[in-house]
PDB file of all heavy atoms in Angstrom:
ATOM      1  N   MET H  11       0.812  -1.213   0.000  1.00 97.00           N
ATOM      2  CA  MET H  11       0.000   0.000   0.000  1.00 97.00           C
ATOM      3  C   MET H  11       0.851   1.270   0.000  1.00 97.00           C
ATOM      4  O   MET H  11       0.380   2.352  -0.327  1.00 97.00           O
ATOM      5  CB  MET H  11      -0.937   0.004   1.207  1.00 97.00           C
ATOM      6  CG  MET H  11      -0.248   0.130   2.554  1.00 97.00           C
ATOM      7  SD  MET H  11      -1.415   0.208   3.954  1.00 97.00           S
ATOM      8  CE  MET H  11      -1.974  -1.484   4.047  1.00 97.00           C
ATOM      9  N   GLY H  12       2.115   1.169   0.396  1.00 98.00           N
ATOM     10  CA  GLY H  12       3.005   2.316   0.449  1.00 98.00           C
ATOM     11  C   GLY H  12       4.329   1.890   1.056  1.00 98.00           C
ATOM     12  O   GLY H  12       4.483   0.745   1.525  1.00 98.00           O
ATOM     13  N   MET H  13       5.297   2.819   1.065  1.00 98.00           N
ATOM     14  CA  MET H  13       6.627   2.484   1.557  1.00 98.00           C
ATOM     15  C   MET H  13       7.253   3.691   2.250  1.00 98.00           C
ATOM     16  O   MET H  13       7.068   4.826   1.824  1.00 98.00           O
ATOM     17  CB  MET H  13       7.525   2.016   0.394  1.00 98.00           C
ATOM     18  CG  MET H  13       6.964   0.820  -0.351  1.00 98.00           C
ATOM     19  SD  MET H  13       7.797   0.471  -1.925  1.00 98.00           S
ATOM     20  CE  MET H  13       9.310  -0.249  -1.321  1.00 98.00           C
ATOM     21  N   VAL H  14       8.003   3.415   3.319  1.00 98.00           N
ATOM     22  CA  VAL H  14       8.842   4.406   3.980  1.00 98.00           C
ATOM     23  C   VAL H  14      10.248   3.815   4.014  1.00 98.00           C
ATOM     24  O   VAL H  14      10.479   2.793   4.667  1.00 98.00           O
ATOM     25  CB  VAL H  14       8.351   4.724   5.412  1.00 98.00           C
ATOM     26  CG1 VAL H  14       9.300   5.717   6.089  1.00 98.00           C
ATOM     27  CG2 VAL H  14       6.935   5.290   5.376  1.00 98.00           C
ATOM     28  N   LEU H  15      11.167   4.452   3.294  1.00 98.00           N
ATOM     29  CA  LEU H  15      12.508   3.907   3.108  1.00 98.00           C
ATOM     30  C   LEU H  15      13.549   4.900   3.589  1.00 98.00           C
ATOM     31  O   LEU H  15      13.374   6.108   3.459  1.00 98.00           O
ATOM     32  CB  LEU H  15      12.758   3.572   1.635  1.00 98.00           C
ATOM     33  CG  LEU H  15      11.713   2.660   0.967  1.00 98.00           C
ATOM     34  CD1 LEU H  15      12.075   2.443  -0.494  1.00 98.00           C
ATOM     35  CD2 LEU H  15      11.583   1.338   1.704  1.00 98.00           C
ATOM     36  N   ARG H  16      14.671   4.364   4.069  1.00 98.00           N
ATOM     37  CA  ARG H  16      15.728   5.208   4.633  1.00 98.00           C
ATOM     38  C   ARG H  16      17.104   4.677   4.226  1.00 98.00           C
ATOM     39  O   ARG H  16      17.299   3.483   4.124  1.00 98.00           O
ATOM     40  CB  ARG H  16      15.579   5.188   6.165  1.00 98.00           C
ATOM     41  CG  ARG H  16      16.527   6.048   6.963  1.00 98.00           C
ATOM     42  CD  ARG H  16      17.772   5.313   7.421  1.00 98.00           C
ATOM     43  NE  ARG H  16      17.559   4.005   7.983  1.00 98.00           N
ATOM     44  CZ  ARG H  16      18.529   3.119   8.185  1.00 98.00           C
ATOM     45  NH1 ARG H  16      19.787   3.391   7.853  1.00 98.00           N
ATOM     46  NH2 ARG H  16      18.261   1.922   8.694  1.00 98.00           N
ATOM     47  N   GLY H  17      18.039   5.596   3.973  1.00 98.00           N
ATOM     48  CA  GLY H  17      19.410   5.197   3.661  1.00 98.00           C
ATOM     49  C   GLY H  17      19.454   4.263   2.475  1.00 98.00           C
ATOM     50  O   GLY H  17      19.843   3.106   2.588  1.00 98.00           O
ATOM     51  N   ILE H  18      19.090   4.760   1.307  1.00 98.00           N
ATOM     52  CA  ILE H  18      18.807   3.904   0.153  1.00 98.00           C
ATOM     53  C   ILE H  18      20.049   3.170  -0.343  1.00 98.00           C
ATOM     54  O   ILE H  18      21.103   3.756  -0.572  1.00 98.00           O
ATOM     55  CB  ILE H  18      18.207   4.740  -0.996  1.00 98.00           C
ATOM     56  CG1 ILE H  18      16.916   5.424  -0.534  1.00 98.00           C
ATOM     57  CG2 ILE H  18      17.955   3.866  -2.212  1.00 98.00           C
ATOM     58  CD1 ILE H  18      15.844   4.489  -0.011  1.00 98.00           C
ATOM     59  N   PHE H  19      19.866   1.857  -0.544  1.00 98.00           N
ATOM     60  CA  PHE H  19      20.894   0.993  -1.107  1.00 98.00           C
ATOM     61  C   PHE H  19      20.257   0.216  -2.248  1.00 98.00           C
ATOM     62  O   PHE H  19      19.307  -0.540  -2.029  1.00 98.00           O
ATOM     63  CB  PHE H  19      21.436   0.035  -0.035  1.00 98.00           C
ATOM     64  CG  PHE H  19      22.487  -0.914  -0.534  1.00 98.00           C
ATOM     65  CD1 PHE H  19      23.688  -0.458  -1.037  1.00 98.00           C
ATOM     66  CD2 PHE H  19      22.271  -2.288  -0.481  1.00 98.00           C
ATOM     67  CE1 PHE H  19      24.660  -1.339  -1.493  1.00 98.00           C
ATOM     68  CE2 PHE H  19      23.236  -3.182  -0.933  1.00 98.00           C
ATOM     69  CZ  PHE H  19      24.440  -2.706  -1.431  1.00 98.00           C
ATOM     70  N   LEU H  20      20.754   0.416  -3.468  1.00 98.00           N
ATOM     71  CA  LEU H  20      20.178  -0.221  -4.646  1.00 98.00           C
ATOM     72  C   LEU H  20      20.949  -1.462  -5.067  1.00 98.00           C
ATOM     73  O   LEU H  20      20.596  -2.099  -6.060  1.00 98.00           O
ATOM     74  CB  LEU H  20      20.107   0.780  -5.804  1.00 98.00           C
ATOM     75  CG  LEU H  20      19.233   2.019  -5.545  1.00 98.00           C
ATOM     76  CD1 LEU H  20      19.343   3.001  -6.703  1.00 98.00           C
ATOM     77  CD2 LEU H  20      17.780   1.622  -5.310  1.00 98.00           C
ATOM     78  N   GLY H  21      22.004  -1.804  -4.322  1.00 97.00           N
ATOM     79  CA  GLY H  21      22.733  -3.034  -4.599  1.00 97.00           C
ATOM     80  C   GLY H  21      23.576  -3.004  -5.857  1.00 97.00           C
ATOM     81  O   GLY H  21      23.939  -4.060  -6.383  1.00 97.00           O
ATOM     82  N   ARG H  22      23.925  -1.819  -6.352  1.00 97.00           N
ATOM     83  CA  ARG H  22      24.734  -1.718  -7.565  1.00 97.00           C
ATOM     84  C   ARG H  22      26.206  -1.978  -7.245  1.00 97.00           C
ATOM     85  O   ARG H  22      26.662  -1.711  -6.123  1.00 97.00           O
ATOM     86  CB  ARG H  22      24.557  -0.334  -8.194  1.00 97.00           C
ATOM     87  CG  ARG H  22      23.117  -0.063  -8.620  1.00 97.00           C
ATOM     88  CD  ARG H  22      22.909   1.319  -9.169  1.00 97.00           C
ATOM     89  NE  ARG H  22      22.994   2.344  -8.135  1.00 97.00           N
ATOM     90  CZ  ARG H  22      22.652   3.620  -8.324  1.00 97.00           C
ATOM     91  NH1 ARG H  22      22.194   4.005  -9.503  1.00 97.00           N
ATOM     92  NH2 ARG H  22      22.767   4.489  -7.338  1.00 97.00           N
ATOM     93  N   PRO H  23      26.968  -2.487  -8.208  1.00 97.00           N
ATOM     94  CA  PRO H  23      28.392  -2.740  -7.950  1.00 97.00           C
ATOM     95  C   PRO H  23      29.136  -1.519  -7.426  1.00 97.00           C
ATOM     96  O   PRO H  23      30.018  -1.659  -6.563  1.00 97.00           O
ATOM     97  CB  PRO H  23      28.920  -3.171  -9.319  1.00 97.00           C
ATOM     98  CG  PRO H  23      27.736  -3.783 -10.001  1.00 97.00           C
ATOM     99  CD  PRO H  23      26.560  -2.965  -9.538  1.00 97.00           C
ATOM    100  N   SER H  24      28.780  -0.337  -7.899  1.00 97.00           N
ATOM    101  CA  SER H  24      29.452   0.879  -7.431  1.00 97.00           C
ATOM    102  C   SER H  24      29.206   1.120  -5.951  1.00 97.00           C
ATOM    103  O   SER H  24      30.082   1.647  -5.242  1.00 97.00           O
ATOM    104  CB  SER H  24      28.977   2.086  -8.236  1.00 97.00           C
ATOM    105  OG  SER H  24      27.574   2.268  -8.102  1.00 97.00           O
ATOM    106  N   GLU H  25      28.039   0.711  -5.447  1.00 98.00           N
ATOM    107  CA  GLU H  25      27.724   0.901  -4.034  1.00 98.00           C
ATOM    108  C   GLU H  25      28.501  -0.084  -3.166  1.00 98.00           C
ATOM    109  O   GLU H  25      28.937   0.262  -2.058  1.00 98.00           O
ATOM    110  CB  GLU H  25      26.215   0.752  -3.821  1.00 98.00           C
ATOM    111  CG  GLU H  25      25.399   1.856  -4.483  1.00 98.00           C
ATOM    112  CD  GLU H  25      23.922   1.547  -4.494  1.00 98.00           C
ATOM    113  OE1 GLU H  25      23.488   0.772  -5.374  1.00 98.00           O
ATOM    114  OE2 GLU H  25      23.196   2.081  -3.643  1.00 98.00           O
ATOM    115  N   VAL H  26      28.659  -1.313  -3.658  1.00 98.00           N
ATOM    116  CA  VAL H  26      29.469  -2.297  -2.931  1.00 98.00           C
ATOM    117  C   VAL H  26      30.932  -1.862  -2.923  1.00 98.00           C
ATOM    118  O   VAL H  26      31.610  -1.931  -1.889  1.00 98.00           O
ATOM    119  CB  VAL H  26      29.306  -3.695  -3.558  1.00 98.00           C
ATOM    120  CG1 VAL H  26      30.239  -4.697  -2.879  1.00 98.00           C
ATOM    121  CG2 VAL H  26      27.854  -4.168  -3.448  1.00 98.00           C
ATOM    122  N   ASP H  27      31.426  -1.382  -4.059  1.00 98.00           N
ATOM    123  CA  ASP H  27      32.810  -0.897  -4.131  1.00 98.00           C
ATOM    124  C   ASP H  27      33.021   0.263  -3.163  1.00 98.00           C
ATOM    125  O   ASP H  27      34.079   0.374  -2.529  1.00 98.00           O
ATOM    126  CB  ASP H  27      33.149  -0.451  -5.552  1.00 98.00           C
ATOM    127  CG  ASP H  27      33.263  -1.611  -6.524  1.00 98.00           C
ATOM    128  OD1 ASP H  27      33.371  -2.761  -6.055  1.00 98.00           O
ATOM    129  OD2 ASP H  27      33.210  -1.373  -7.748  1.00 98.00           O
ATOM    130  N   TRP H  28      32.036   1.128  -3.057  1.00 98.00           N
ATOM    131  CA  TRP H  28      32.143   2.251  -2.124  1.00 98.00           C
ATOM    132  C   TRP H  28      32.283   1.746  -0.694  1.00 98.00           C
ATOM    133  O   TRP H  28      33.124   2.219   0.075  1.00 98.00           O
ATOM    134  CB  TRP H  28      30.924   3.165  -2.226  1.00 98.00           C
ATOM    135  CG  TRP H  28      30.931   4.226  -1.155  1.00 98.00           C
ATOM    136  CD1 TRP H  28      30.307   4.175   0.054  1.00 98.00           C
ATOM    137  CD2 TRP H  28      31.667   5.449  -1.191  1.00 98.00           C
ATOM    138  NE1 TRP H  28      30.580   5.299   0.785  1.00 98.00           N
ATOM    139  CE2 TRP H  28      31.425   6.103   0.047  1.00 98.00           C
ATOM    140  CE3 TRP H  28      32.482   6.059  -2.125  1.00 98.00           C
ATOM    141  CZ2 TRP H  28      31.969   7.343   0.355  1.00 98.00           C
ATOM    142  CZ3 TRP H  28      33.032   7.298  -1.822  1.00 98.00           C
ATOM    143  CH2 TRP H  28      32.778   7.919  -0.585  1.00 98.00           C
ATOM    144  N   PHE H  29      31.450   0.767  -0.322  1.00 98.00           N
ATOM    145  CA  PHE H  29      31.496   0.239   1.040  1.00 98.00           C
ATOM    146  C   PHE H  29      32.856  -0.381   1.337  1.00 98.00           C
ATOM    147  O   PHE H  29      33.410  -0.203   2.428  1.00 98.00           O
ATOM    148  CB  PHE H  29      30.390  -0.800   1.230  1.00 98.00           C
ATOM    149  CG  PHE H  29      30.385  -1.446   2.588  1.00 98.00           C
ATOM    150  CD1 PHE H  29      29.734  -0.834   3.653  1.00 98.00           C
ATOM    151  CD2 PHE H  29      31.023  -2.655   2.816  1.00 98.00           C
ATOM    152  CE1 PHE H  29      29.723  -1.422   4.917  1.00 98.00           C
ATOM    153  CE2 PHE H  29      31.025  -3.253   4.072  1.00 98.00           C
ATOM    154  CZ  PHE H  29      30.381  -2.616   5.124  1.00 98.00           C
ATOM    155  N   LEU H  30      33.398  -1.112   0.389  1.00 98.00           N
ATOM    156  CA  LEU H  30      34.649  -1.833   0.620  1.00 98.00           C
ATOM    157  C   LEU H  30      35.887  -0.948   0.492  1.00 98.00           C
ATOM    158  O   LEU H  30      36.907  -1.233   1.132  1.00 98.00           O
ATOM    159  CB  LEU H  30      34.755  -3.005  -0.356  1.00 98.00           C
ATOM    160  CG  LEU H  30      33.743  -4.130  -0.160  1.00 98.00           C
ATOM    161  CD1 LEU H  30      33.809  -5.116  -1.310  1.00 98.00           C
ATOM    162  CD2 LEU H  30      33.978  -4.844   1.172  1.00 98.00           C
ATOM    163  N   GLU H  31      35.818   0.090  -0.338  1.00 97.00           N
ATOM    164  CA  GLU H  31      37.008   0.898  -0.599  1.00 97.00           C
ATOM    165  C   GLU H  31      36.778   2.395  -0.453  1.00 97.00           C
ATOM    166  O   GLU H  31      37.594   3.105   0.120  1.00 97.00           O
ATOM    167  CB  GLU H  31      37.543   0.604  -2.014  1.00 97.00           C
ATOM    168  CG  GLU H  31      37.916  -0.852  -2.249  1.00 97.00           C
ATOM    169  CD  GLU H  31      39.128  -1.302  -1.435  1.00 97.00           C
ATOM    170  OE1 GLU H  31      39.865  -0.441  -0.901  1.00 97.00           O
ATOM    171  OE2 GLU H  31      39.337  -2.531  -1.320  1.00 97.00           O
ATOM    172  N   GLY H  32      35.666   2.886  -1.000  1.00 97.00           N
ATOM    173  CA  GLY H  32      35.459   4.335  -1.071  1.00 97.00           C
ATOM    174  C   GLY H  32      35.363   5.026   0.270  1.00 97.00           C
ATOM    175  O   GLY H  32      35.799   6.172   0.425  1.00 97.00           O
ATOM    176  N   ILE H  33      34.799   4.334   1.268  1.00 98.00           N
ATOM    177  CA  ILE H  33      34.642   4.933   2.597  1.00 98.00           C
ATOM    178  C   ILE H  33      35.989   5.361   3.168  1.00 98.00           C
ATOM    179  O   ILE H  33      36.057   6.276   4.000  1.00 98.00           O
ATOM    180  CB  ILE H  33      33.921   3.951   3.549  1.00 98.00           C
ATOM    181  CG1 ILE H  33      32.462   3.764   3.123  1.00 98.00           C
ATOM    182  CG2 ILE H  33      33.944   4.450   4.994  1.00 98.00           C
ATOM    183  CD1 ILE H  33      31.694   2.779   3.986  1.00 98.00           C
ATOM    184  N   ALA H  34      37.071   4.734   2.704  1.00 98.00           N
ATOM    185  CA  ALA H  34      38.410   5.075   3.212  1.00 98.00           C
ATOM    186  C   ALA H  34      38.741   6.553   3.024  1.00 98.00           C
ATOM    187  O   ALA H  34      39.574   7.104   3.756  1.00 98.00           O
ATOM    188  CB  ALA H  34      39.463   4.217   2.513  1.00 98.00           C
ATOM    189  N   ARG H  35      38.089   7.212   2.084  1.00 97.00           N
ATOM    190  CA  ARG H  35      38.352   8.635   1.869  1.00 97.00           C
ATOM    191  C   ARG H  35      37.878   9.475   3.048  1.00 97.00           C
ATOM    192  O   ARG H  35      38.404  10.560   3.295  1.00 97.00           O
ATOM    193  CB  ARG H  35      37.649   9.110   0.589  1.00 97.00           C
ATOM    194  CG  ARG H  35      38.078   8.359  -0.665  1.00 97.00           C
ATOM    195  CD  ARG H  35      37.284   8.824  -1.860  1.00 97.00           C
ATOM    196  NE  ARG H  35      37.477   7.923  -3.000  1.00 97.00           N
ATOM    197  CZ  ARG H  35      36.853   8.064  -4.162  1.00 97.00           C
ATOM    198  NH1 ARG H  35      35.982   9.055  -4.335  1.00 97.00           N
ATOM    199  NH2 ARG H  35      37.079   7.207  -5.143  1.00 97.00           N
ATOM    200  N   PHE H  36      36.883   9.008   3.754  1.00 97.00           N
ATOM    201  CA  PHE H  36      36.311   9.761   4.869  1.00 97.00           C
ATOM    202  C   PHE H  36      36.577   9.106   6.218  1.00 97.00           C
ATOM    203  O   PHE H  36      36.617   9.792   7.243  1.00 97.00           O
ATOM    204  CB  PHE H  36      34.801   9.933   4.664  1.00 97.00           C
ATOM    205  CG  PHE H  36      34.456  10.790   3.495  1.00 97.00           C
ATOM    206  CD1 PHE H  36      34.290  10.249   2.233  1.00 97.00           C
ATOM    207  CD2 PHE H  36      34.329  12.168   3.639  1.00 97.00           C
ATOM    208  CE1 PHE H  36      33.986  11.039   1.143  1.00 97.00           C
ATOM    209  CE2 PHE H  36      34.020  12.975   2.559  1.00 97.00           C
ATOM    210  CZ  PHE H  36      33.852  12.416   1.300  1.00 97.00           C
ATOM    211  N   PHE H  37      36.722   7.781   6.230  1.00 97.00           N
ATOM    212  CA  PHE H  37      37.022   7.045   7.452  1.00 97.00           C
ATOM    213  C   PHE H  37      38.287   6.217   7.253  1.00 97.00           C
ATOM    214  O   PHE H  37      38.236   4.981   7.297  1.00 97.00           O
ATOM    215  CB  PHE H  37      35.844   6.151   7.849  1.00 97.00           C
ATOM    216  CG  PHE H  37      34.656   6.874   8.414  1.00 97.00           C
ATOM    217  CD1 PHE H  37      33.647   7.331   7.580  1.00 97.00           C
ATOM    218  CD2 PHE H  37      34.536   7.112   9.782  1.00 97.00           C
ATOM    219  CE1 PHE H  37      32.547   7.997   8.081  1.00 97.00           C
ATOM    220  CE2 PHE H  37      33.436   7.781  10.299  1.00 97.00           C
ATOM    221  CZ  PHE H  37      32.437   8.229   9.447  1.00 97.00           C
ATOM    222  N   PRO H  38      39.432   6.869   7.003  1.00 98.00           N
ATOM    223  CA  PRO H  38      40.656   6.097   6.744  1.00 98.00           C
ATOM    224  C   PRO H  38      41.078   5.242   7.924  1.00 98.00           C
ATOM    225  O   PRO H  38      41.656   4.164   7.734  1.00 98.00           O
ATOM    226  CB  PRO H  38      41.692   7.175   6.433  1.00 98.00           C
ATOM    227  CG  PRO H  38      41.159   8.418   7.070  1.00 98.00           C
ATOM    228  CD  PRO H  38      39.675   8.322   6.962  1.00 98.00           C
ATOM    229  N   ASP H  39      40.783   5.694   9.142  1.00 97.00           N
ATOM    230  CA  ASP H  39      41.162   4.921  10.320  1.00 97.00           C
ATOM    231  C   ASP H  39      40.331   3.646  10.432  1.00 97.00           C
ATOM    232  O   ASP H  39      40.864   2.551  10.675  1.00 97.00           O
ATOM    233  CB  ASP H  39      41.037   5.767  11.584  1.00 97.00           C
ATOM    234  CG  ASP H  39      39.728   6.555  11.656  1.00 97.00           C
ATOM    235  OD1 ASP H  39      38.967   6.572  10.656  1.00 97.00           O
ATOM    236  OD2 ASP H  39      39.463   7.177  12.705  1.00 97.00           O
ATOM    237  N   ALA H  40      39.016   3.766  10.236  1.00 97.00           N
ATOM    238  CA  ALA H  40      38.147   2.588  10.300  1.00 97.00           C
ATOM    239  C   ALA H  40      38.481   1.615   9.176  1.00 97.00           C
ATOM    240  O   ALA H  40      38.510   0.389   9.374  1.00 97.00           O
ATOM    241  CB  ALA H  40      36.684   2.997  10.225  1.00 97.00           C
TER     242      ALA H  40
END
């Protein structure tokens, strides 16, 4: 009947690559 969505993840390869590598640009320590 409807949807309420948060923090959208579409499962694209670019999004997985970001999680595994790209975040290092902002959280290099983590």
Side-chain angles (χ1 to χ4, degrees):
M11 67 177 74
M13 302 167 75
V14 177
L15 307 179
R16 183 267 315 166
I18 301 303
F19 179 62
L20 299 175
R22 298 177 289 190
S24 60
E25 293 169 280
V26 175
D27 289 345
W28 173 265
F29 178 85
L30 293 171
E31 301 292 345
I33 292 178
R35 301 177 192 177
F36 294 89
F37 287 90
D39 46 352

